[in-house]
Amino acid sequence: MLTVRTTFGVFAAHARQVATLSVLAPLVAALLLFAAALPAPSDATVPSGALSQLASPFNCVGEEGFHQPEIGCGTILPPGATKVAYQAQVSPDGRFVYSVAVEGALVEYERNLANGALTAIGCITASTEQCASQNVTTSALEMKGPQALAISPDGKSVYVVTFDDVLVQFERDPETGLLTEKSCIGHEATSACEQKGAKGLNEPYGVTVSHDGKNVYVASNADGAVAEFSRDVETGALTQLASPNDCVSSQVLSGCGTVISGHELERSIGVVESPDEQDVYIAAGATTGEGAIVALERDKAEEGALKLLPSTEACISEVLAECTHGVEINGPEDLVISPDGKNVYANSFKDNAVLELKREGSGALSQLAKPNACVMNAPAVAECTEGKGLKEPLGVAISPDGENVYASSWEEDDEAAFSRNGATGALTQLPSPYECVGKTGVTTCDTTGIAGIARARRVTVSPDGLNLYVAGQNDHAVVELARTVRPAVSRIDLTRGAPEGGEQVYIKGAGFAEGAKVFFGANEATSVTVHSAGSIVATSPLGAEGHVPVKVENAVGASAETAADEYTYSDAPAVAGVSADIGGEAGGTTVTVTGSQFTGATAVRFGSTSAASFKVESAETIVAKAPAGKGAVDVAVETAHGKSAAGTADKFTYIDGTSAPPSGLVLSSYCESIGDKAVTLEREEVGGPGYAYDNWACVANDGAETLIANTGPAPSMENACEHENGGAGFYGYPEDPNNAFSWGCHKVTPPEEENGGSGGGGSGGGGPFSKLPSEQIGPTGLASTPVVPPPVLARTGNVAPVSGTVLVKLPGTSTFVPLSVLRQIPFGSVIEATHGTVSVTTAVPGGGTQTGEFFQGEFILRQGPNGLVIAELTGGDFAVCPTARERAHRARVAGPAAAAAASRSHVVRKLWANAHGKFSTKGNYAAGAVQGTEWLTEDLCDGTLIRVTRDKVAVTNLVNHKHVEVRTGHKYLAKAP
């Protein structure tokens, strides 16, 4: 076996050091292809954070011809795809994974959200050989030896550093997960990149993107440097900062504008930014005994420029006099920061340890107090505790909840697991047999049989916390591990059902994974479908009259019982929700009542007053017309089995809706006023009645989202309107319950008597609410909203900016003007939303309105008498598209691949649509009509492509007049004639 080992760690040989590298893993007996099984759910000794391998074929991804099936990977890619694997990373949305291998390729995978299993969907390689079965890019520019990667927080870009001293930028398609190479920056003056001669890119081994997305930092081994780049947050393009902020280095010969006098940054490898965006930390392996963890302050006012912290705060080391003193810091290469920003953990390769560091307010690091300065394989000092499976560790990772830290042992072929004390940051290894998982015959771990993990290198944890992906260097593999944590239930959508069971109950929470069980009291659900870490649908079993908790259970244990998981078995009707839950005092509001046991309903009451009318749609749904009334009342359903009990979910509030709302709704400032940092529109439950009611959330500093309820204490629309108007007596109300952007604040008149008053008229069809303008709210909010008349069918529409920059050009004019507030425009206007999102509200035949969103494109807005709104793509330059004659010539000269690249891949213009109602997008050769929620229309050089990302779209081929239904995840190309 030929392996290159240095004093700062282990690297695959660089081309200028060794001509070739042959890494042959020791042959072992055939490994088990199924997961290292965890104990049954009844065994309460399984600790949270315990690891096991997924079952074959999803245990690991290996390469064809390299000691398979001896290694035991169930997924095999073409030779070279994962040769000498170094790292894998998960996209921010958790849907895709990317791996790099220094003698192989950059591989793209789709990730199963229920179990974490990986399926290769494409690859990019500098080689001429195929590295996947589809979506393959060969002979990629400057992509020889990819060894580390980072994904931008917005998910738009992926950055890869290579053995050829190059930093490569890829554009990422968030829907397909596929990457497109956009540009590169080279260290050498002879590089083929457009940008060359970059400083601090000599043997780059680590890369990270700042949390605000404005910078990329690269750690380079040979230069002992950190290279600094600014990032365009729209395009992802990089530009090296001007000297002296181009890079920081320990070596004069690096050419960096900032050179420090000591050895702190010698052999820089790992790089990470703090959650507060204030500091960047570097793991500098150095020579034996001289390693350090370096602290750099990030100056956001100076384009993210880095500078060392003052004096000994700049670094921590065992031997360097210029640094804070530490112990067992020998060969650090990888490091992570806890989500709360309190701790830094790093490997110590030569000392067989994981370092435990505390982050001070200044950004400086200090080692935890004895005995928690580190965890060592065989402690040589009293400051450290003993750990298992830690010989020559090369990778560290931390779970998103901050509860566990993991370390990869290069020498023992394993992954060690630790629990983390949230108060002190101290690590404790999980108890046997969960302390580590490793390869049979090599590791000292009590759990063995892990396939593909030979010479375990870098490791990452998925954003949902359910999986670890480990690079097995010598097995040429990416290992797929499950992280088992105690599940938690945050809510259930159906809280009551019949004793005979059979109800479909949607459960939301965290820590859900395939194989989880659901119990209604002591009875197990008859079926369970895990959609993701936060979503399960379970079918209720038989039950006796009464209340039971709904619990999700796995190997660690069951979810804790809370008020949010209570389910009631009863034959009596139950109201789970009303939408709309606010209406005018004159009555007439159409209210959809949801719940259970509605069959045979004899009455629907708003307080003590019967509904003006009602219709039983199903056992779970009733549509009723609200009677006249005042104040807040309970909506009750009566059947022969009884009357639904009053509760918080059945409230309906009467408001004074006879005039325009006194103000718009500024949810961003509202969320900030209650201690959160932002507002977001949650997309998981978009669609249908209640869209406007169930989707706004305040985002806390730790990223947790809290849905904004209709009524009640903060966060709620009622509370937001009280905050907006300086007192009680106001409610938030949307003009259109299917339009989340139609909220306004309205006044509540106290009831003259307990259960309402009297009056006539209606607010549903032609009532006061149908005359209100579409109030606009969004991430920035509006302090006030202009009052505009209702849209007129086939004549005018009401448009408003949701985010970004939106421009409008009216018919008969030649210039675009910014759209900054709600505005009414005539049809035939051109809307330019290439860098923004616009909300469009139009009238529909028979009264009422419909609303849709359009973004990332330019279009002409039209509407016909039948109410169909058409967003017709415009703009773009078709002159760049080659003619058929030109394509034929290119094919003869350069082969068919060149002709295809010149025609099919070029997108001339595009438009995204997200709408309900009668909406359509129209390209050159196809039109897509809404049957769902979200789709993309692209005019290519050789046709119009329609791709559906949610629900379904009816597509009309404008060339052959065929009609096709396209569903989620699929696309349709109408070829040009």
Side-chain angles (χ1 to χ4, degrees), residues 236-314:
L238 303 180
T239 304
Q240 187 155 37
L241 299 187
S243 183
N245 299 320
D246 49 2
C247 53
V248 182
S249 176
S250 292
Q251 299 181 21
V252 175
L253 293 178
S254 67
C256 291
T258 301
V259 179
I260 57 179
S261 58
H263 298 282
E264 299 99 309
L265 284 169
E266 186 177 346
R267 301 200 183 280
S268 300
I269 300 172
V271 54
V272 66
E273 186 206 34
S274 59
D276 60 12
E277 304 173 5
Q278 300 299 314
D279 302 290
V280 171
Y281 298 95
I282 308 297
T287 56
T288 301
E290 293 185 355
I293 309 296
V294 181
L296 299 161
E297 184 178 4
R298 178 172 178 256
D299 189 343
K300 289 192 281 187
E302 289 292 332
E303 296 185 302
L306 303 178
K307 64 178 181 179
L308 280 175
L309 293 185
S311 188
T312 57
E313 291 187 342

Side-chain angles (χ1 to χ4, degrees), residues 728-794:
F730 289 89
Y731 271 75
Y733 183 80
E735 173 196 355
D736 179 358
N738 293 320
N739 177 10
F741 301 99
S742 63
W743 287 90
C745 293
H746 293 266
K747 193 172 181 60
V748 176
T749 302
E752 296 174 354
E753 53 189 53
E754 182 178 357
N755 288 313
S758 61
S763 64
F769 286 109
S770 66
K771 298 177 182 178
L772 295 177
S774 295
E775 298 300 324
Q776 296 300 316
I777 57 176
T780 57
L782 292 175
S784 62
T785 303
V787 176
V788 299
V792 178
L793 182 67

Side-chain angles (χ1 to χ4, degrees), residues 36 46 134 167 241 366 396 406 446 585 613 618 711 724 792 876:
V46 178
Q134 57 183 329
L167 170 60
L241 299 187
S366 60
V396 289
Y406 301 92
D446 290 333
E585 295 170 355
S613 64
S618 69
T711 60
E724 183 82 17
V792 178

Side-chain angles (χ1 to χ4, degrees), residues 681 691 696 735-736 738-743 773-778 782 797-806 808 819 821-825 831 833 836-842 849-855 859 861 869 912 914-915 919:
L681 179 62
Y691 173 20
W696 291 109
E735 173 196 355
D736 179 358
N738 293 320
N739 177 10
F741 301 99
S742 63
W743 287 90
S774 295
E775 298 300 324
Q776 296 300 316
I777 57 176
L782 292 175
N798 293 347
V799 298
V802 177
S803 63
T805 301
V806 179
V808 173
L819 180 69
V821 295
L822 174 67
R823 181 176 176 182
Q824 188 168 94
I825 63 173
I831 299 177
T837 300
V838 64
S839 172
V840 177
T841 299
T842 66
T849 61
Q850 60 183 359
T851 298
E853 285 184 13
F854 300 90
F855 48 102
F859 61 98
L861 183 65
V869 176
W912 280 94
N914 183 356
F919 288 93

Side-chain angles (χ1 to χ4, degrees), residues 431-437 446-447:
S432 176
Y434 310 103
E435 75 279 32
C436 52
V437 296
D446 290 333
T447 298

Side-chain angles (χ1 to χ4, degrees), residues 602-675:
T602 56
V604 176
R605 303 190 189 279
F606 287 66
S608 61
T609 306
S610 296
S613 64
F614 72 89
K615 180 181 179 182
V616 179
E617 300 281 354
S618 69
E620 294 82 27
T621 305
I622 290 177
V623 177
K625 288 285 186 181
K630 288 187 177 181
V633 297
D634 294 300
V635 177
V637 175
E638 296 179 10
T639 70
H641 297 284
K643 178 181 178 180
S644 60
T648 57
D650 65 20
K651 298 296 184 203
F652 181 86
T653 302
Y654 289 98
I655 64 174
D656 177 10
T658 59
S659 60
S663 74
L665 201 52
V666 191
L667 289 186
S668 56
S669 62
Y670 170 67
C671 288
E672 291 170 3
S673 75
I674 61 174

